[in-house]
mmCIF file of all heavy atoms in Angstrom:
data_model
loop_
_atom_site.group_PDB
_atom_site.id
_atom_site.type_symbol
_atom_site.label_atom_id
_atom_site.label_comp_id
_atom_site.label_asym_id
_atom_site.label_seq_id
_atom_site.Cartn_x
_atom_site.Cartn_y
_atom_site.Cartn_z
ATOM 1 N N SER A 1 0.811 -1.224 0.000
ATOM 2 C CA SER A 1 0.000 0.000 0.000
ATOM 3 C C SER A 1 0.841 1.270 0.000
ATOM 4 O O SER A 1 0.332 2.355 -0.280
ATOM 5 C CB SER A 1 -0.938 0.009 1.212
ATOM 6 O OG SER A 1 -0.192 -0.044 2.424
ATOM 7 N N SER A 2 2.136 1.153 0.310
ATOM 8 C CA SER A 2 3.005 2.328 0.340
ATOM 9 C C SER A 2 3.857 2.465 -0.921
ATOM 10 O O SER A 2 4.694 3.365 -1.015
ATOM 11 C CB SER A 2 3.921 2.279 1.572
ATOM 12 O OG SER A 2 4.779 1.154 1.509
ATOM 13 N N ASP A 3 3.633 1.588 -1.907
ATOM 14 C CA ASP A 3 4.436 1.600 -3.128
ATOM 15 C C ASP A 3 3.651 2.209 -4.289
ATOM 16 O O ASP A 3 2.419 2.131 -4.332
ATOM 17 C CB ASP A 3 4.876 0.181 -3.495
ATOM 18 C CG ASP A 3 5.799 -0.437 -2.456
ATOM 19 O OD1 ASP A 3 6.677 0.281 -1.951
ATOM 20 O OD2 ASP A 3 5.607 -1.621 -2.127
ATOM 21 N N ASN A 4 4.369 2.808 -5.234
ATOM 22 C CA ASN A 4 3.690 3.418 -6.380
ATOM 23 C C ASN A 4 3.514 2.408 -7.513
ATOM 24 O O ASN A 4 4.188 1.372 -7.572
ATOM 25 C CB ASN A 4 4.436 4.672 -6.873
ATOM 26 C CG ASN A 4 5.817 4.372 -7.414
ATOM 27 O OD1 ASN A 4 5.967 3.591 -8.356
ATOM 28 N ND2 ASN A 4 6.846 4.979 -6.830
ATOM 29 N N ASP A 5 2.604 2.720 -8.420
ATOM 30 C CA ASP A 5 2.224 1.780 -9.479
ATOM 31 C C ASP A 5 3.400 1.387 -10.363
ATOM 32 O O ASP A 5 3.546 0.221 -10.748
ATOM 33 C CB ASP A 5 1.118 2.383 -10.346
ATOM 34 C CG ASP A 5 -0.239 2.342 -9.671
ATOM 35 O OD1 ASP A 5 -0.371 1.607 -8.672
ATOM 36 O OD2 ASP A 5 -1.158 3.035 -10.138
ATOM 37 N N THR A 6 4.252 2.354 -10.693
ATOM 38 C CA THR A 6 5.381 2.057 -11.575
ATOM 39 C C THR A 6 6.326 1.041 -10.949
ATOM 40 O O THR A 6 6.764 0.084 -11.598
ATOM 41 C CB THR A 6 6.148 3.351 -11.911
ATOM 42 O OG1 THR A 6 5.257 4.266 -12.549
ATOM 43 C CG2 THR A 6 7.324 3.056 -12.827
ATOM 44 N N ASP A 7 6.632 1.249 -9.651
ATOM 45 C CA ASP A 7 7.520 0.312 -8.957
ATOM 46 C C ASP A 7 6.883 -1.066 -8.833
ATOM 47 O O ASP A 7 7.565 -2.094 -8.982
ATOM 48 C CB ASP A 7 7.871 0.851 -7.568
ATOM 49 C CG ASP A 7 8.845 2.019 -7.619
ATOM 50 O OD1 ASP A 7 9.444 2.248 -8.688
ATOM 51 O OD2 ASP A 7 8.992 2.718 -6.598
ATOM 52 N N ILE A 8 5.590 -1.100 -8.550
ATOM 53 C CA ILE A 8 4.895 -2.382 -8.427
ATOM 54 C C ILE A 8 4.950 -3.148 -9.743
ATOM 55 O O ILE A 8 5.257 -4.348 -9.778
ATOM 56 C CB ILE A 8 3.430 -2.181 -7.980
ATOM 57 C CG1 ILE A 8 3.371 -1.614 -6.561
ATOM 58 C CG2 ILE A 8 2.661 -3.501 -8.061
ATOM 59 C CD1 ILE A 8 1.983 -1.168 -6.134
ATOM 60 N N GLU A 9 4.684 -2.469 -10.838
ATOM 61 C CA GLU A 9 4.686 -3.135 -12.142
ATOM 62 C C GLU A 9 6.079 -3.638 -12.508
ATOM 63 O O GLU A 9 6.229 -4.750 -13.035
ATOM 64 C CB GLU A 9 4.152 -2.170 -13.203
ATOM 65 C CG GLU A 9 2.654 -1.912 -13.062
ATOM 66 C CD GLU A 9 2.168 -0.793 -13.955
ATOM 67 O OE1 GLU A 9 2.977 -0.289 -14.777
ATOM 68 O OE2 GLU A 9 0.979 -0.419 -13.853
ATOM 69 N N GLU A 10 7.100 -2.845 -12.218
ATOM 70 C CA GLU A 10 8.466 -3.291 -12.500
ATOM 71 C C GLU A 10 8.817 -4.514 -11.647
ATOM 72 O O GLU A 10 9.434 -5.473 -12.135
ATOM 73 C CB GLU A 10 9.458 -2.164 -12.230
ATOM 74 C CG GLU A 10 10.899 -2.535 -12.572
ATOM 75 C CD GLU A 10 11.881 -1.399 -12.377
ATOM 76 O OE1 GLU A 10 11.450 -0.269 -12.084
ATOM 77 O OE2 GLU A 10 13.101 -1.649 -12.510
ATOM 78 N N ALA A 11 8.420 -4.463 -10.368
ATOM 79 C CA ALA A 11 8.693 -5.593 -9.475
ATOM 80 C C ALA A 11 7.985 -6.855 -9.952
ATOM 81 O O ALA A 11 8.575 -7.948 -9.982
ATOM 82 C CB ALA A 11 8.250 -5.251 -8.050
ATOM 83 N N LEU A 12 6.720 -6.732 -10.348
ATOM 84 C CA LEU A 12 5.964 -7.897 -10.802
ATOM 85 C C LEU A 12 6.558 -8.481 -12.080
ATOM 86 O O LEU A 12 6.574 -9.707 -12.271
ATOM 87 C CB LEU A 12 4.498 -7.519 -11.026
ATOM 88 C CG LEU A 12 3.706 -7.173 -9.759
ATOM 89 C CD1 LEU A 12 2.312 -6.669 -10.131
ATOM 90 C CD2 LEU A 12 3.608 -8.372 -8.833
ATOM 91 N N ASP A 13 7.065 -7.619 -12.950
ATOM 92 C CA ASP A 13 7.683 -8.116 -14.171
ATOM 93 C C ASP A 13 8.977 -8.867 -13.873
ATOM 94 O O ASP A 13 9.245 -9.930 -14.452
ATOM 95 C CB ASP A 13 7.948 -6.956 -15.124
ATOM 96 C CG ASP A 13 8.087 -7.414 -16.570
ATOM 97 O OD1 ASP A 13 7.214 -8.162 -17.043
ATOM 98 O OD2 ASP A 13 9.083 -7.044 -17.207
ATOM 99 N N LEU A 14 9.787 -8.329 -12.945
ATOM 100 C CA LEU A 14 11.019 -9.015 -12.547
ATOM 101 C C LEU A 14 10.711 -10.364 -11.899
ATOM 102 O O LEU A 14 11.339 -11.385 -12.221
ATOM 103 C CB LEU A 14 11.808 -8.141 -11.566
ATOM 104 C CG LEU A 14 12.573 -6.960 -12.146
ATOM 105 C CD1 LEU A 14 13.098 -6.075 -11.010
ATOM 106 C CD2 LEU A 14 13.721 -7.436 -13.024
ATOM 107 N N ILE A 15 9.742 -10.375 -10.993
ATOM 108 C CA ILE A 15 9.371 -11.614 -10.307
ATOM 109 C C ILE A 15 8.824 -12.624 -11.304
ATOM 110 O O ILE A 15 9.127 -13.825 -11.235
ATOM 111 C CB ILE A 15 8.338 -11.324 -9.197
ATOM 112 C CG1 ILE A 15 8.979 -10.487 -8.082
ATOM 113 C CG2 ILE A 15 7.770 -12.623 -8.635
ATOM 114 C CD1 ILE A 15 7.978 -9.923 -7.091
ATOM 115 N N GLY A 16 8.033 -12.134 -12.250
ATOM 116 C CA GLY A 16 7.443 -13.027 -13.239
ATOM 117 C C GLY A 16 8.473 -13.785 -14.050
ATOM 118 O O GLY A 16 8.239 -14.926 -14.469
ATOM 119 N N GLN A 17 9.636 -13.171 -14.258
ATOM 120 C CA GLN A 17 10.686 -13.804 -15.043
ATOM 121 C C GLN A 17 11.488 -14.834 -14.240
ATOM 122 O O GLN A 17 12.324 -15.541 -14.804
ATOM 123 C CB GLN A 17 11.633 -12.732 -15.585
ATOM 124 C CG GLN A 17 10.979 -11.779 -16.563
ATOM 125 C CD GLN A 17 11.873 -10.615 -16.932
ATOM 126 O OE1 GLN A 17 13.011 -10.828 -17.374
ATOM 127 N NE2 GLN A 17 11.392 -9.402 -16.749
ATOM 128 N N SER A 18 11.224 -14.919 -12.934
ATOM 129 C CA SER A 18 11.932 -15.864 -12.074
ATOM 130 C C SER A 18 11.244 -17.230 -12.089
ATOM 131 O O SER A 18 10.214 -17.419 -12.744
ATOM 132 C CB SER A 18 11.987 -15.332 -10.637
ATOM 133 O OG SER A 18 10.738 -15.500 -9.990
ATOM 134 N N SER A 19 11.786 -18.147 -11.286
ATOM 135 C CA SER A 19 11.209 -19.496 -11.192
ATOM 136 C C SER A 19 10.102 -19.597 -10.153
ATOM 137 O O SER A 19 9.599 -20.696 -9.895
ATOM 138 C CB SER A 19 12.324 -20.503 -10.833
ATOM 139 O OG SER A 19 13.329 -20.525 -11.809
ATOM 140 N N VAL A 20 9.712 -18.493 -9.548
ATOM 141 C CA VAL A 20 8.716 -18.522 -8.479
ATOM 142 C C VAL A 20 7.394 -19.086 -8.996
ATOM 143 O O VAL A 20 7.031 -18.910 -10.162
ATOM 144 C CB VAL A 20 8.526 -17.105 -7.878
ATOM 145 C CG1 VAL A 20 7.630 -16.238 -8.767
ATOM 146 C CG2 VAL A 20 7.966 -17.173 -6.465
ATOM 147 N N ASP A 21 6.666 -19.763 -8.116
ATOM 148 C CA ASP A 21 5.370 -20.329 -8.508
ATOM 149 C C ASP A 21 4.224 -19.335 -8.342
ATOM 150 O O ASP A 21 3.270 -19.355 -9.120
ATOM 151 C CB ASP A 21 5.071 -21.574 -7.657
ATOM 152 C CG ASP A 21 6.066 -22.686 -7.908
ATOM 153 O OD1 ASP A 21 6.081 -23.212 -9.031
ATOM 154 O OD2 ASP A 21 6.846 -23.014 -6.992
ATOM 155 N N GLY A 22 4.310 -18.489 -7.305
ATOM 156 C CA GLY A 22 3.206 -17.583 -7.038
ATOM 157 C C GLY A 22 3.663 -16.256 -6.446
ATOM 158 O O GLY A 22 4.744 -16.161 -5.860
ATOM 159 N N ILE A 23 2.826 -15.237 -6.603
ATOM 160 C CA ILE A 23 3.121 -13.891 -6.131
ATOM 161 C C ILE A 23 1.977 -13.450 -5.222
ATOM 162 O O ILE A 23 0.803 -13.594 -5.581
ATOM 163 C CB ILE A 23 3.261 -12.896 -7.290
ATOM 164 C CG1 ILE A 23 4.123 -13.473 -8.412
ATOM 165 C CG2 ILE A 23 3.826 -11.569 -6.799
ATOM 166 C CD1 ILE A 23 4.056 -12.685 -9.718
ATOM 167 N N TYR A 24 2.325 -12.909 -4.052
ATOM 168 C CA TYR A 24 1.324 -12.540 -3.057
ATOM 169 C C TYR A 24 1.113 -11.035 -2.948
ATOM 170 O O TYR A 24 2.079 -10.260 -2.884
ATOM 171 C CB TYR A 24 1.755 -13.058 -1.683
ATOM 172 C CG TYR A 24 1.034 -14.315 -1.239
ATOM 173 C CD1 TYR A 24 1.402 -15.549 -1.734
ATOM 174 C CD2 TYR A 24 -0.020 -14.249 -0.328
ATOM 175 C CE1 TYR A 24 0.758 -16.707 -1.322
ATOM 176 C CE2 TYR A 24 -0.675 -15.392 0.089
ATOM 177 C CZ TYR A 24 -0.283 -16.622 -0.415
ATOM 178 O OH TYR A 24 -0.932 -17.757 -0.004
ATOM 179 N N ILE A 25 -0.147 -10.639 -2.886
ATOM 180 C CA ILE A 25 -0.531 -9.291 -2.470
ATOM 181 C C ILE A 25 -0.529 -9.296 -0.940
ATOM 182 O O ILE A 25 -1.225 -10.103 -0.323
ATOM 183 C CB ILE A 25 -1.946 -8.928 -2.956
ATOM 184 C CG1 ILE A 25 -2.067 -9.103 -4.472
ATOM 185 C CG2 ILE A 25 -2.314 -7.510 -2.529
ATOM 186 C CD1 ILE A 25 -3.505 -9.045 -4.971
ATOM 187 N N VAL A 26 0.231 -8.390 -0.321
ATOM 188 C CA VAL A 26 0.311 -8.345 1.142
ATOM 189 C C VAL A 26 -0.069 -6.947 1.628
ATOM 190 O O VAL A 26 0.649 -5.977 1.390
ATOM 191 C CB VAL A 26 1.723 -8.713 1.645
ATOM 192 C CG1 VAL A 26 1.730 -8.774 3.180
ATOM 193 C CG2 VAL A 26 2.174 -10.045 1.054
ATOM 194 N N ASP A 27 -1.202 -6.866 2.310
ATOM 195 C CA ASP A 27 -1.653 -5.596 2.883
ATOM 196 C C ASP A 27 -1.140 -5.489 4.316
ATOM 197 O O ASP A 27 -1.892 -5.642 5.279
ATOM 198 C CB ASP A 27 -3.181 -5.516 2.829
ATOM 199 C CG ASP A 27 -3.715 -4.177 3.339
ATOM 200 O OD1 ASP A 27 -2.926 -3.220 3.449
ATOM 201 O OD2 ASP A 27 -4.926 -4.116 3.634
ATOM 202 N N SER A 28 0.150 -5.246 4.458
ATOM 203 C CA SER A 28 0.807 -5.282 5.766
ATOM 204 C C SER A 28 0.205 -4.295 6.755
ATOM 205 O O SER A 28 0.187 -4.550 7.967
ATOM 206 C CB SER A 28 2.301 -4.977 5.613
ATOM 207 O OG SER A 28 2.919 -5.880 4.743
ATOM 208 N N TYR A 29 -0.251 -3.157 6.267
ATOM 209 C CA TYR A 29 -0.727 -2.094 7.151
ATOM 210 C C TYR A 29 -2.247 -2.102 7.325
ATOM 211 O O TYR A 29 -2.793 -1.270 8.053
ATOM 212 C CB TYR A 29 -0.302 -0.724 6.621
ATOM 213 C CG TYR A 29 1.194 -0.530 6.511
ATOM 214 C CD1 TYR A 29 1.718 0.524 5.772
ATOM 215 C CD2 TYR A 29 2.100 -1.395 7.129
ATOM 216 C CE1 TYR A 29 3.095 0.712 5.665
ATOM 217 C CE2 TYR A 29 3.466 -1.221 7.020
ATOM 218 C CZ TYR A 29 3.956 -0.156 6.279
ATOM 219 O OH TYR A 29 5.305 0.026 6.174
ATOM 220 N N GLY A 30 -2.928 -3.030 6.652
ATOM 221 C CA GLY A 30 -4.391 -3.039 6.732
ATOM 222 C C GLY A 30 -4.981 -1.737 6.222
ATOM 223 O O GLY A 30 -5.981 -1.240 6.747
ATOM 224 N N ALA A 31 -4.367 -1.195 5.161
ATOM 225 C CA ALA A 31 -4.731 0.130 4.662
ATOM 226 C C ALA A 31 -5.541 0.094 3.367
ATOM 227 O O ALA A 31 -6.076 1.116 2.939
ATOM 228 C CB ALA A 31 -3.466 0.964 4.437
ATOM 229 N N ILE A 32 -5.617 -1.076 2.750
ATOM 230 C CA ILE A 32 -6.231 -1.180 1.428
ATOM 231 C C ILE A 32 -7.735 -1.402 1.554
ATOM 232 O O ILE A 32 -8.198 -2.190 2.387
ATOM 233 C CB ILE A 32 -5.574 -2.325 0.637
ATOM 234 C CG1 ILE A 32 -4.092 -2.011 0.385
ATOM 235 C CG2 ILE A 32 -6.291 -2.568 -0.685
ATOM 236 C CD1 ILE A 32 -3.308 -3.150 -0.240
ATOM 237 N N TYR A 33 -8.496 -0.697 0.688
ATOM 238 C CA TYR A 33 -9.951 -0.848 0.637
ATOM 239 C C TYR A 33 -10.331 -1.770 -0.529
ATOM 240 O O TYR A 33 -9.545 -1.940 -1.469
ATOM 241 C CB TYR A 33 -10.618 0.520 0.475
ATOM 242 C CG TYR A 33 -10.380 1.433 1.651
ATOM 243 C CD1 TYR A 33 -9.387 2.402 1.613
ATOM 244 C CD2 TYR A 33 -11.135 1.299 2.825
ATOM 245 C CE1 TYR A 33 -9.154 3.234 2.695
ATOM 246 C CE2 TYR A 33 -10.912 2.127 3.922
ATOM 247 C CZ TYR A 33 -9.919 3.088 3.852
ATOM 248 O OH TYR A 33 -9.688 3.902 4.938
ATOM 249 N N PRO A 34 -11.522 -2.364 -0.475
ATOM 250 C CA PRO A 34 -11.894 -3.334 -1.506
ATOM 251 C C PRO A 34 -11.779 -2.823 -2.935
ATOM 252 O O PRO A 34 -11.339 -3.569 -3.823
ATOM 253 C CB PRO A 34 -13.343 -3.678 -1.136
ATOM 254 C CG PRO A 34 -13.363 -3.553 0.359
ATOM 255 C CD PRO A 34 -12.494 -2.356 0.645
ATOM 256 N N GLU A 35 -12.150 -1.573 -3.187
ATOM 257 C CA GLU A 35 -12.027 -1.034 -4.547
ATOM 258 C C GLU A 35 -10.564 -1.031 -4.993
ATOM 259 O O GLU A 35 -10.245 -1.371 -6.142
ATOM 260 C CB GLU A 35 -12.589 0.381 -4.604
ATOM 261 C CG GLU A 35 -12.533 0.975 -6.013
ATOM 262 C CD GLU A 35 -13.128 2.370 -6.087
ATOM 263 O OE1 GLU A 35 -13.587 2.892 -5.048
ATOM 264 O OE2 GLU A 35 -13.131 2.935 -7.189
ATOM 265 N N GLN A 36 -9.660 -0.664 -4.075
ATOM 266 C CA GLN A 36 -8.230 -0.697 -4.390
ATOM 267 C C GLN A 36 -7.743 -2.132 -4.572
ATOM 268 O O GLN A 36 -6.882 -2.406 -5.421
ATOM 269 C CB GLN A 36 -7.440 -0.012 -3.274
ATOM 270 C CG GLN A 36 -7.740 1.471 -3.105
ATOM 271 C CD GLN A 36 -7.130 2.027 -1.829
ATOM 272 O OE1 GLN A 36 -7.376 1.505 -0.740
ATOM 273 N NE2 GLN A 36 -6.322 3.069 -1.968
#
């Protein structure tokens, strides 16, 4: 919730190119609303 869209997209693209099986959305601060 504290990261900007550009950084998130770059991170997801980097992770996607790895051998990882899954990627988690983590709302560490309990700050995200359902629409978000």
Side-chain angles (χ1 to χ4, degrees):
S1 60
S2 63
D3 296 319
N4 64 58
D5 284 345
T6 301
D7 287 346
I8 294 170
E9 289 171 6
E10 183 177 354
L12 292 174
D13 202 50
L14 284 171
I15 293 168
Q17 295 172 54
S18 77
S19 299
V20 79
D21 296 294
I23 315 167
Y24 258 79
I25 305 168
V26 185
D27 183 16
S28 302
Y29 299 165
I32 296 173
Y33 296 98
E35 182 178 0
Q36 296 169 305

